[in-house]
Amino acid sequence: MEAWHTLSVEESVRRLETDRGLGLTGVSASGRLAQYGSNELKETGIKSPWINLWEQFTAVMVLILVVAAVISTFLGDYKDAVAIMVIVVINGLLGFRQEYKAEKAMAALKRLSVPKVRVRREGSVQEIPSTELVPGDIVLLEAGNLVPADCRLIEVANLRIQESALTGESEPIEKITRVLAWDKLPLGDRKNMAYMGTIVSYGRGQALVTNTGMDTELGRIATMIQSVGHEPTPLQRRLDRLGKKLAVIALVLVALIFVEGLWMEGTSALRELFLTAVSMAVAAVPEGLPAVVTIALALGAQRMLRRRALIRKLTAVETLGTVTVICSDKTGTLTENLMTVTMLDVAGHSLDLTEHLRKGGPILDSHELPIPEDRKFALSVVLAGSALCNDAELKVDDVLSRVSALGDPTEGALVIAAMKAGFSKNELEREFPRVGELPFDSERKRMTTVHGIGGPGSMKVNMDMLRTWYDAIGRTPYIGFTKGAVDQLLEVTGSVWMNGSIVPVDARLTQKILDNNNAMAAKGMRVLGVAFKPLTSPHITEKMEKDLVFVGMAGMIDPPRAEVKEAVHTCRTAGIRPVMITGDHPLTAAHIAHELGIDRQGRIMTGHELSRLSAEELDKVVDDISVFARVSPEHKLNIVKSLQDRGHIVAMTGDGVNDAPALKKADIGVAMGIAGTDVSKEASDMVLLDDNFTTIVAAVEEGRAIYDNIRKFFKYLMATNSGEIMVMLSAPFFGMPLPLLPLQILWMNLVTDGLPALALGVEPGERDSMNRPPYPPGESIFSRGLGFHILWVGVLMAVISVGMGYWSWSQGKADWQTMVFTTLTLSQMGHVMAIRSEKRSLFSIGALSNKPLLLAVFATIVLQLFLIYVPFLQGIFRTVPMSPLDLAISLGLSTVIFFAVEIEKWIFRMRDRRRRL
């Protein structure tokens, strides 16, 4: 792509073969439209909805359930087949809906194009559809316009363009026309260019179209969005691996049970044997797991919504729990997104006013700010002068009792600072009405306003102080206030207000002022100087900005959110590394990162440095850098890729169009609900309704709780299924008939397992969930002792059930199979109550702390009793009524599992205590 910003206006016009004054001819424009195509973004590679739908039903776990449903249908068990297929269809439709919504990012991006644009063609100004723009067209820009294509600016009049959506720069950029020599400049520094999709916020200009459609910077972002594939979440990868393993286990079980049955029963009950073998294969697969996981994720999404995080894709809920790196934009997420005066400098003395301005009120009161009287006069002039020489207006929201500013963010900061110090702009303008002005321009880099003296009024204390100062300098009919860049202001300064009087400026004073200016700028502040000049006439002349009296400086920055520092600390405690990725200036990024504790090493990498690194070189350093500044969309995407290549689970925040490719690539894309563009929201997995970094940390905490709960589902379901399998495999070796019937097994898998498992989805998170590192993304679902737990609990269930069943069968009890069925079911209830916490005892967390689970356990027990004692259900499930003694025996034996798991947790607690000692 041509580096147009390095070419002069004349050279750019020559290369594009156009005429600056006349524009293109109609014939030339038509030919170029045929050559370059329409000025619009093209959609490529969008996945068909039918392919999306098909993919939902071809996952391994889903295919196993489909096969089980087909076999059940073939064997006449229509109820089981319907139940399984309902689970499959619900999960498929939910997944399809989420995938289909994710493909809408391109549609939102296309909405940034403009329908009509004013161009100069054949010597006259014409209004044409933006899609018909071609390279070489001369476009007319004015405040409020969306820039229709990438352009080289050829004429500007105080032109400022808001490029935050494309570059991340929080303030509108002042545009120029002169050549910029370096061809590798970041987008935010190419001040002689205007880019498609950005907004003209002030002034007017003319621009030469250089690139259209997919060749624009916006088009490059569209290409990146389309080329970024969807990465499976850690849970999806684990469930996929599990599904393949369970498919093999199911086939082996079918063969084992069938062969064992033939050996024990012969061929007389061939159909029953086959049905039992298939039932055991189904028992090996936790049919309820996909539905339980989906419902748990949905419940988690609801809880996150209450914490101001809107989940767009359900899988994001679980992925949040495994995040290892949070890459955050600076403006609005880590900061207030509100320029604020944090430092004033008068008479060479810097005053940090952060706390005073935050409190509001008369900060010049001696109790609040104990400084000499003469400096108070200087402070009054800086604050009042910067509010008077200002086009921003105060906006008072009576409902919210909040004051904001309308206009340029920097000017708004000055007006609000003055108001908090007791200088209301409205009152100031009544006392000192504006009678003339010299507007700001990019050449002078300053603005001057002329004010008269109003009639006598009810002045407040600080107004009286200002009146006293005005009397001290020698009352004149008019006074001029000038504000602007400090170095430019000093060039037209003849004296300095110091120690209560006007003194001539000298080299020493000038250097001191510049040193203080540089010190504030090094902290990432935007610094403006304030000067004044007594005037005898309101007439605007060239001499008005000569021999000014310099008073002081105001340093402004978009300050960190007060609560984010604690959230960053929480991240580090939880083993999550926060990283700042911003398009803003490196000094500003460094200051904010240092204030929040994000950067501990002081190492920053800029977009220019990133451009010189290969992918392999970036992989080597990406873990050591916590602040990236002046980055482009490609840089953000490369950083996310590199972190993922290093094995990290990455959450990426963003609000602009430029963030969309990285948001889509990240494991968790987090968009801003307030300041975010439609493009960023459509590309994201989660939207922050309050644009606050703290909300991400709260969502991570919720995600960890949900991931832990999903492991509890799995622990519960698989331990139950392993117990059933071991009962069925071991009973025939003792000469017993098959102790469980197929419908009884499916009842336990779909009903007895399902209700309590769903209730586990609202289990509160472990209290130390944010005091540990995230679990490794690649860990097996059986890791951290879960596989061993499933094994020993299954064995214990089998020993209890088969032992009791053998005793009752050998005693000739007619209800022996019902006793086995009931003992297994009630053991599962004891198990689910015991595994509510990984290590804490149920007696310490309290049985009532999860009332839905208590209700589910009670409901399951009642349903089990219905199966035993309701005649209609006895016929279906082949149960017989149990005597009170037999029921008591089953109930008593079922508590063994509960106490065994409690002992296991006690051992874990003792082991942890010894480690801490």
Side-chain angles (χ1 to χ4, degrees):
M1 187 176 288
E2 187 78 59
W4 293 101
H5 61 281
T6 64
L7 304 179
S8 67
V9 172
E10 293 73 19
E11 177 63 16
S12 300
V13 169
R14 187 187 67 78
R15 291 199 183 190
L16 288 168
E17 299 177 357
T18 187
D19 188 291
R20 181 173 175 176
L22 300 176
L24 294 173
T25 64
V27 173
S28 177
S30 298
R32 295 186 188 199
L33 187 62
Q35 177 184 354
Y36 295 105
S38 297
N39 179 36
E40 59 185 347
L41 304 180
K42 307 290 193 303
E43 294 187 25
T44 59
I46 299 298
K47 191 186 295 182
S48 162
W50 293 108
I51 295 176
N52 264 341
L53 187 62
W54 171 254
E55 288 178 352
Q56 305 308 314
F57 296 99
T58 53
V60 176
M61 285 282 286
V62 175
L63 287 176
I64 293 173
L65 295 182
V66 171
V67 170
V70 170
I71 293 175
S72 296
T73 303
F74 177 74
L75 295 174
D77 288 310
Y78 301 113
K79 294 178 183 177
D80 303 330
V82 169
I84 293 172
M85 285 310 298
V86 165
I87 292 171
V88 169
V89 171
I90 290 174
N91 276 279
L93 292 178
L94 282 173
F96 168 75
R97 181 175 177 271
Q98 296 300 328
E99 287 285 330
Y100 182 69
K101 284 170 65 179
E103 296 295 341
K104 289 184 177 178
M106 270 303 300
L109 197 60
K110 290 182 73 174
R111 287 197 292 270
L112 286 178
S113 60
V114 289
K116 296 285 185 179
V117 62
R118 293 172 66 222
V119 301
R120 180 175 288 112
R121 285 186 180 176
E122 297 184 331
S124 64
V125 175
Q126 304 175 19
E127 193 173 80
I128 65 171
S130 63
T131 54
E132 296 179 9
L133 271 182
V134 294
D137 264 324
I138 306 295
V139 179
L140 279 62
L141 301 174
E142 59 186 26
N145 287 166
L146 274 175
V147 178
D150 286 2
C151 306
R152 172 66 165 91
L153 293 167
I154 60 176
E155 181 182 307
V156 297
N158 298 326
L159 183 66
R160 299 182 201 173
I161 298 182
Q162 177 58 263
E163 298 179 343
S164 59
L166 194 64
T167 66
E169 181 75 49
S170 54
E171 293 188 63
I173 305 299
E174 296 171 14
K175 292 298 181 178
I176 60 176
T177 59
R178 70 172 185 270
V179 173
L180 299 172
W182 189 29
D183 63 342
K184 300 295 185 182
L185 273 179
L187 287 183
D189 292 331
R190 299 178 190 176
K191 296 184 178 182
N192 58 10
M193 298 291 294
Y195 293 104
M196 184 180 191
T198 58
I199 303 171
V200 179
S201 62
Y202 190 84
R204 58 182 176 79
Q206 293 186 30
L208 173 66
V209 175
T210 57
N211 298 94
T212 59
M214 295 301 286
D215 292 330
T216 63
E217 292 295 333
L218 201 64
R220 294 176 64 203
I221 292 172
T223 301
M224 284 189 283
I225 292 176
Q226 294 164 359
S227 64
V228 172
H230 292 286
E231 297 291 329
T233 70
L235 180 64
Q236 288 172 327
R237 290 193 288 266
R238 292 182 183 111
L239 290 180
D240 188 58
R241 291 195 298 266
L242 174 66
K244 293 173 182 176
K245 292 176 182 177
L246 291 179
V248 175
I249 292 172
L251 290 173
V252 171
L253 281 174
V254 167
L256 278 176
I257 295 293
F258 195 74
V259 170
E260 185 183 29
L262 282 176
W263 174 52
M264 300 297 299
E265 304 285 344
T267 58
S268 58
L270 195 61
R271 183 182 181 279
E272 190 74 17
L273 279 174
F274 184 68
L275 185 58
T276 302
V278 171
S279 299
M280 288 311 301
V282 173
V285 179
E287 293 92 340
L289 186 61
V292 167
V293 168
T294 300
I295 293 170
L297 295 177
L299 291 173
Q302 291 177 8
R303 290 203 297 273
M304 288 183 181
L305 184 59
R306 289 195 290 270
R307 301 182 77 166
R308 312 298 294 163
L310 173 65
I311 300 298
R312 294 187 64 253
K313 300 174 185 176
L314 283 182
T315 52
V317 176
E318 173 271 334
T319 310
L320 276 164
T322 58
V323 164
T324 59
V325 176
I326 298 178
C327 296
S328 178
D329 191 17
K330 176 186 69 68
T331 305
T333 310
L334 298 173
T335 65
E336 298 280 2
N337 195 21
L338 180 67
M339 291 295 286
T340 305
V341 174
T342 57
M343 188 168 287
L344 294 175
D345 184 277
V346 290
H349 298 277
S350 294
L351 301 170
D352 190 339
L353 299 179
T354 305
E355 290 302 319
H356 300 289
L357 292 172
R358 189 175 294 161
K359 293 175 184 176
I363 64 170
L364 300 184
D365 184 270
S366 59
H367 299 292
E368 291 290 330
L369 197 61
I371 59 173
E373 201 71 14
D374 62 292
R375 284 188 212 158
K376 287 187 183 179
F377 286 140
L379 275 173
S380 299
V381 179
V382 171
L383 292 167
S386 62
L388 286 166
C389 184
N390 197 310
D391 289 329
E393 296 292 336
L394 285 174
K395 177 185 177 184
V396 180
D397 191 325
D398 294 325
V399 177
L400 298 176
S401 300
R402 186 173 61 190
V403 178
S404 58
L406 299 175
D408 181 82
T410 301
E411 294 203 323
L414 294 168
V415 169
I416 290 176
M419 184 208 65
K420 289 184 176 181
F423 295 107
S424 165
K425 185 180 181 184
N426 294 335
E427 292 179 12
L428 282 169
E429 289 182 333
R430 281 197 295 270
E431 298 294 336
F432 300 95
R434 186 187 298 190
V435 295
E437 65 181 281
L438 277 175
F440 174 91
D441 68 48
S442 56
E443 297 299 323
R444 291 165 37 248
K445 292 188 177 179
R446 57 183 177 266
M447 169 185 181
T448 296
T449 55
V450 180
H451 302 265
I453 302 298
S458 55
M459 283 190 164
K460 295 186 177 181
V461 174
N462 290 342
M463 291 293 191
D464 289 338
M465 186 181 297
L466 197 60
R467 174 70 65 86
T468 304
W469 162 82
Y470 192 54
D471 290 338
I473 64 171
R475 179 180 290 273
T476 56
Y478 303 97
I479 186 167
F481 285 107
T482 302
K483 78 173 193 303
V486 175
D487 53 349
Q488 298 284 330
L489 208 54
L490 287 173
E491 291 179 3
V492 291
T493 291
S495 51
V496 176
W497 176 265
M498 193 169 185
N499 299 325
S501 61
I502 298 174
V503 299
V505 70
D506 57 26
R508 183 186 63 82
L509 274 177
T510 300
Q511 190 57 50
K512 188 172 184 179
I513 293 170
L514 288 174
D515 288 345
N516 285 8
N517 172 56
N518 294 336
M520 284 194 277
K523 294 180 180 178
M525 296 183 187
R526 180 170 187 185
V527 186
L528 289 178
V530 177
F532 70 88
K533 183 177 183 179
L535 299 170
T536 57
S537 168
H539 299 301
I540 307 300
T541 65
E542 293 182 2
K543 295 181 179 180
M544 185 180 293
E545 289 185 344
K546 300 291 184 183
D547 299 319
L548 302 179
V549 182
F550 187 88
V551 188
M553 299 175 282
M556 290 150 284
I557 196 168
D558 180 10
R561 289 178 181 262
E563 66 275 16
V564 169
K565 189 169 186 177
E566 181 62 30
V568 169
H569 175 72
T570 301
C571 277
R572 293 197 179 278
T573 304
I576 302 169
R577 185 165 71 96
V579 175
M580 179 193 292
I581 304 179
T582 178
D584 219 334
H585 195 280
L587 287 176
T588 306
H591 176 72
I592 298 296
H594 178 73
E595 287 285 306
L596 294 175
I598 291 176
D599 179 36
R600 293 178 171 178
Q601 300 174 344
R603 187 177 179 188
I604 300 173
M605 182 168 284
T606 64
H608 173 57
E609 293 170 313
L610 275 167
S611 299
R612 295 185 297 184
L613 296 181
S614 65
E616 294 75 18
E617 289 171 330
L618 180 57
D619 287 347
K620 293 176 182 177
V621 300
V622 73
D623 280 334
D624 301 323
I625 299 172
S626 296
V627 181
F628 297 89
R630 275 289 190 256
V631 294
S632 69
E634 295 97 327
H635 296 147
K636 293 185 178 186
L637 188 60
N638 291 339
I639 292 166
V640 171
K641 285 179 180 177
S642 183
L643 287 167
Q644 289 175 331
D645 290 343
R646 299 283 295 172
H648 291 290
I649 301 297
V650 182
M652 171 75 193
T653 76
D655 57 5
V657 177
N658 60 327
D659 297 317
L663 288 175
K664 194 171 181 183
K665 175 64 178 175
D667 299 282
I668 294 289
V670 183
M672 303 297 109
I674 299 173
T677 60
D678 287 346
V679 181
S680 64
K681 291 174 187 176
E682 292 291 349
S684 70
D685 304 287
M686 180 173 84
V687 178
L688 301 184
L689 300 183
D690 56 4
D691 290 10
N692 197 330
F693 180 84
T694 305
T695 304
I696 306 174
V697 180
V700 168
E701 183 177 5
E702 199 67 56
R704 288 192 175 189
I706 292 163
Y707 176 62
D708 288 344
N709 287 345
I710 289 173
R711 277 178 56 90
K712 290 170 190 174
F713 304 155
F714 187 72
K715 178 189 287 188
Y716 171 59
L717 297 176
M718 291 307 295
T720 295
N721 289 10
S722 67
E724 295 165 7
I725 291 168
M726 291 177 192
V727 166
M728 294 294 286
L729 286 173
S730 59
F733 286 103
F734 294 97
M736 299 165 60
L738 290 174
L740 295 172
L741 301 175
L743 204 56
Q744 292 172 349
I745 294 172
L746 289 168
W747 169 266
M748 285 190 285
N749 284 5
L750 295 174
V751 180
T752 305
D753 288 358
L755 289 177
L758 286 175
L760 276 176
V762 296
E763 183 67 35
E766 301 280 356
R767 61 184 178 186
D768 64 342
S769 64
M770 293 299 282
N771 292 324
R772 60 163 176 81
Y775 297 125
E779 74 169 8
S780 166
I781 202 163
F782 293 102
S783 64
R784 289 182 280 121
L786 193 145
F788 178 71
H789 176 92
I790 291 171
L791 184 62
W792 78 256
V793 169
V795 169
L796 185 58
M797 279 187 183
V799 168
I800 293 168
S801 301
V802 173
M804 183 274 301
Y806 182 79
W807 171 79
S808 56
W809 173 67
S810 62
Q811 294 291 318
K813 288 179 176 287
D815 62 352
W816 75 272
Q817 282 182 313
T818 305
M819 289 181 71
V820 172
F821 179 31
T822 303
T823 302
L824 260 178
T825 298
L826 297 180
S827 294
Q828 293 165 19
M829 298 304 98
H831 183 231
V832 77
M833 293 299 292
I835 63 169
R836 282 184 52 194
S837 175
E838 196 79 26
K839 295 178 182 178
R840 296 174 66 199
S841 169
L842 178 66
F843 302 107
S844 67
I845 63 176
L848 294 176
S849 57
N850 187 344
K851 292 178 182 177
L853 179 59
L854 207 59
L855 183 63
V857 169
F858 177 75
T860 303
I861 293 173
V862 170
L863 289 172
Q864 184 68 21
L865 294 177
F866 281 177
L867 262 61
I868 298 171
Y869 295 109
V870 175
F872 168 71
L873 294 174
Q874 289 172 357
I876 295 176
F877 288 91
R878 300 186 197 177
T879 58
V880 296
M882 295 170 61
S883 66
L885 177 61
D886 289 347
L887 183 61
I889 291 171
S890 291
L891 183 60
L893 289 174
S894 66
T895 62
V896 173
I897 296 295
F898 171 80
F899 289 108
V901 175
E902 284 292 332
I903 291 171
E904 178 192 42
K905 293 192 291 184
W906 177 80
I907 293 171
F908 288 156
R909 292 195 298 272
M910 292 300 102
R911 183 188 63 191
D912 290 346
R913 189 173 300 171
R914 285 195 298 270
R915 285 177 179 172
R916 287 195 295 269
L917 295 175

